Amino acid sequence: MKRSLLATITAVFTGLILPHLTHAADLPDLKGRTIVAVTENAYAPLNFSDPSTGKGIGWEYDAFNEIAKRLNAKVDWQLSSWDTMIQAVKQGQYDVGMDGITINDKRKKQVDFSEPYMVSEQFMLVRAEEDRFSNAKEFAKDDDLYFGAQPGTTNFYVAVYNVLDGNESNARISLFETFGASVQALKSADVDSVLMDATSARGYIGANPGAFKVTGGPLGTEEFGFIFTPDSDLVAPVNAALQSMKEDGTIDSLNKKWFFDYNQ
């Protein structure tokens, strides 16, 4: 079912985005430069592997491919684990990184950020039949309930500081190497909730009919940005292309494709 759904989405996307593919004359021209981009392929619907081809797809792929097209550049896509991505971009191993990375002061000391391309609020994804708790406060009171999270992610820190006791070693957080592994642990009842932004939650709910639901209200607001090697000359051109995509409706089209049509 997911395979056919993705095919449908691709068709919708093609129809929506093609009118904006022409390079805009008033944007910087990178003269065919190759930009080495890195992501994880474990954060649907922002980046994940197409089950039929194994090729990386998702909101961030489409967005950055479109940015490169408008700047007359090419993208060399690479994969990295989340826990090494920021350091690798900082050291110049990749030109730009993306994985739903929250813009914060700590990370700004390591890498440069683009302007925000998405605003995220964290919600509790639970199994569809869950009835032991209905909000974060009830979850926190029950010591038998566990979160699944990747260490060092927004999801992890919101679980620690917004829901539990502020102890980053709290045994009620089961750690996983990938975001997808934490969701799989939720599905198999090894943990009881995974925090994620509303857009990703809609993606997982849509891709797994009857398996998940969201409970409780938003737990925080975060802004996502692309990360760059410090002092990168790509920041200004990417921001210009991103702004043009916001103004001409391309960002709205991407949101519709991945966060609404994807769920149909």
Side-chain angles (χ1 to χ4, degrees), residues 244-256:
S244 73
M245 291 165 63
K246 292 177 180 177
E247 292 174 352
D248 69 13
T250 300
I251 294 297
D252 289 339
S253 296
L254 287 174
N255 292 340
K256 182 178 184 299

Side-chain angles (χ1 to χ4, degrees), residues 24 63 74 170 177 195 205 208:
K74 301 174 182 176
N170 194 313
E177 291 186 359
L195 292 178
I205 292 171
N208 299 272

